[in-house]
Amino acid sequence: MTYRMLGVGILLFLLQPVAPAQSNVPIVSGGVAFVSTTDGGSTFMQPILAPVFAAPVGQRWLFESRVDLRELIYQPTGSGPYQHQFFDTIEYAQVDYNAAPWLTIVAGRFL
């Protein structure tokens, strides 16, 4: 009985209609983190944002980029005001040209 149910489930899964994929939709993805440490009464906090962008233009072009945004927040004396430093880095920025189904030309700035 369980094999029959499994067979019917697999058959229904394989025969379901396929939805067409969206084309030319920009994508924003990435990661977010918050790192905090305390050492000798001084607290260091570091929010991190690393978005990834991918934007197709037309049928053949794709622009991609990833950046790393960090801020270091710290208290130098342990009891005074907080200070901060901001860091930004372009991990990569590239342009892809799909010349043919078997050929993609890529140019850009890589880390």
Side-chain angles (χ1 to χ4, degrees):
M1 181 68 173
T2 58
Y3 290 117
R4 182 178 291 175
M5 294 290 285
L6 182 62
V8 169
I10 291 173
L11 185 63
L12 287 175
F13 178 75
L14 293 175
L15 294 177
Q16 70 181 352
V18 178
Q22 295 180 350
S23 61
N24 295 334
V25 176
I27 298 171
V28 177
S29 182
V32 176
F34 185 81
V35 180
S36 176
T37 59
T38 302
D39 184 25
S42 295
T43 302
F44 298 89
M45 297 173 282
Q46 186 177 27
I48 303 167
L49 179 64
V52 177
F53 305 102
V57 178
Q59 294 296 318
R60 298 192 179 263
W61 293 93
L62 176 68
F63 296 97
E64 298 179 65
S65 179
R66 178 178 173 155
V67 297
D68 187 29
L69 307 171
R70 298 173 183 246
E71 185 168 17
L72 179 62
I73 303 168
Y74 58 95
Q75 205 172 18
T77 61
S79 63
Y82 281 94
Q83 295 182 3
H84 68 93
Q85 270 187 302
F86 182 76
F87 305 96
D88 59 342
T89 305
I90 296 177
E91 300 283 331
Y92 69 88
Q94 71 182 36
V95 177
D96 302 342
Y97 178 71
N98 297 317
W102 46 269
L103 177 64
T104 302
I105 301 169
V106 180
R109 180 188 181 277
F110 304 94
L111 185 75

